[in-house]
Amino acid sequence: MTDYSSATGSVIRTGGTALDDPNGLSEVQAAHRLAVDGPNVLPEPAPLSPVRLFLGQFSNVMIGVLAGAALLSGWLGEWIDAAAILAIILLNGVLGFVQEYKAERALAALKRMSETSARVIRDGRRRQIPARDVVVDDLIELEAGDRIPADAKLVYAALLTTQEAPLTGESHPVQKACHPLPPDTPLAERRNEVFQGTVVVAGRGRAVVTATGIRTELGRIATLVEKTTREPTPFQRRWEELGRVLLVLTLIVSAVVFALGVFRGEPVFGMFLTAVSLAVAAVPEAVPAIVTMTLALGVIKMVSRHALIRRLPAVETLGATTILCTDKTGTLTKNQMTVMSLFVGNRRFEVTGDGYVPIGDIHEAGSRLSEAPLSVRALLTAGALCNHASLSQRDGSWDIDGDPTEGAILVTAAKIGLLKAPLEAEHPFVDEIPFDSERKMMTVVRLTLGETEAYVKGATGAVLQHSTRYAVDDGSLLPLDDNYRELIHEMEHSYAKQALRVLAVARRTLHTRTGPTDGDVERRLVFLGLIAMRDPIRPEAQPAVDLLHRAGIRTVMITGDQRETADAIAFELGLHDGGDTVTGAQLNAMSNDELHRRVRNIAVYARTTAEHKFRIVQAWQAHGEVVAMTGDGVNDAPALKQ
């Protein structure tokens, strides 16, 4: 193993070999590790062969009853009846096989599309290799857009930001650093680590791989999924019960008829044939085929709605659902940061438009403004110039390259005609002071009308601390006194209650070319205003929640995001309904029995992990509920399977 205790990010192997050496591992070392640890892939069950998939269609009691009836019909010489029953059995199997085989092939195609590569340093050279060949102690390089190939500890980070929503449920990008953290730090708070399956949205970094394959956080979730036993659906249970009841009743009736006939003096063999014929006639041969065709039609209809059904009985289970557990980020919300409001001077403005499409308006007090005020243009100009993201249109859809938070500012600026490329051409780049967790700000220095201007954005408290004046609508500057500071803090608190993320923006005219090494650059700032944003609710989410409520299905939100954000979204969608909100830390303190007692009174779960979601689903199932789970994250997988 490797010791990562150095605050500077240096890495020392217990065997004495330094791994902060830019040469990284040698090819010989890497080959040895790969042979010992195996490839960097998650274990998967052996693919189901078409033969096994086909034979699996005949593994239920009802099909067994039909097969028995066919044999008896053949023994009685009723070859037409026997052939008809066998044809129905075969038709039933073929229909089920075709639908499930198509689903398996679609899933396999999706897996092939998701294969990734990685950049590693070996023998002092940068190499691009398949992610499956990455090994422990490999030195990997990370850039914006990369999918991280393995769990790793950072040894260098320059504005490195990752999107960890699929793993942790955190809706905001996570700023990374190389500072050491306690070993018991929660997964969502490990700022000095990166994790397999997450994505770099901004910045650059280098990291030493600490775990691959099944030993990663992603692998731990995969292990939990494998330990989960697949329960039969309500339909499958009722179908099996129907088969057993039908078999028992048929045998009882046939036995009674046989006994009565013999008691009346009828020939034993003749009564036996009569009883067998009665048993064959009592079996509803067409029922399995009708059920299978009905389910297949349901699958076809779901496919038309872009839903992939892996097994036929799942269609019926949707109709039997009583509880829906849903993720938030990317499921109820778009997972696209969007600016909702601006506060400039002493005026609050609302911004319309969703997602990354640069179409929307500026409203004040409910009225649309025909033109954005100068103060709003100044705020968004500074936000766009102190920015490393880019907004582009590909194949008719708009997308952000870089930090989604910075991208949201660019989208809002574009809504009022402020595009980043022309702005940067008018204000050439000079230098910058990168963001760090101590200052909680970043600054970009540019040339503006012959003067050097510093544009600053960051946490409200940090920017206010270094501001001495603030801008108002007519472009004039007023002293930033305690009353205005209090107003800004009140507005920030108001935004926080709406689960809005707030950034403050400021500027400073330097007059002379002062480089960012001058510690005075971020002093005596002019405060321009606040930008408040959040991940907006999907437009289809509210109608879906209302429809579920009318159908008698209770909706429970389970998210890895912060409690305040979860509560705000839940209240807006009407999910609380008098229920409580519980965090992952509170869940950890609950026994399974306590969770079982309280689960009906909890509407929202925040800051949860994959294990928490799994426990919640089990607690509802223990009450006899039919639970459905929906989510787009890796941490939803165990609960989805359960």
Side-chain angles (χ1 to χ4, degrees), residues 29 82-83 104 132 144 166 183 204 220 251 298 342 358 375 427 460 480 491 516 541 568 621 638:
Q29 288 175 310
E104 292 291 340
R132 62 180 289 117
R204 296 175 292 109
R220 187 174 59 81
L251 292 176
L342 307 170
S375 56
H427 306 269
T460 304
L480 200 159
M491 185 54 59
Q621 289 175 330

Side-chain angles (χ1 to χ4, degrees), residues 314-351:
V315 177
E316 187 275 341
T317 309
L318 288 174
T321 299
T322 57
I323 302 293
L324 174 65
C325 295
T326 176
D327 182 36
K328 179 189 74 67
T329 306
T331 304
L332 295 175
T333 63
K334 289 188 170 185
N335 200 18
Q336 293 181 341
M337 294 301 292
T338 302
V339 172
M340 311 296 292
S341 182
L342 307 170
F343 188 77
V344 185
N346 58 1
R347 300 169 65 185
R348 175 170 174 165
F349 303 91
E350 308 303 324
V351 183

Side-chain angles (χ1 to χ4, degrees), residues 159-172:
L159 299 175
L160 184 68
T161 306
T162 62
Q163 178 57 271
E164 297 180 353
L167 185 64
T168 66
E170 175 69 64
S171 60
H172 301 304

Side-chain angles (χ1 to χ4, degrees), residues 82-100:
I85 295 172
L86 290 174
I88 290 171
I89 293 174
L90 185 62
L91 175 63
N92 176 80
V94 169
L95 283 172
F97 168 76
V98 168
Q99 292 297 334
E100 294 188 14

Side-chain angles (χ1 to χ4, degrees), residues 15 18 37 57 76 84-85 100 102 195 198 243 259-260 312 322 327 375 392 406 417 447 462 485 553 597 607 626:
D37 296 339
Q57 307 300 318
L76 293 172
I85 295 172
E100 294 188 14
K102 286 165 64 178
F195 305 102
T198 60
L260 288 175
L312 289 180
T322 57
D327 182 36
S375 56
S392 59
E406 293 192 326
L447 289 176
R485 292 180 192 276
I553 300 172
R597 289 194 305 270
R607 224 57 177 151
V626 178

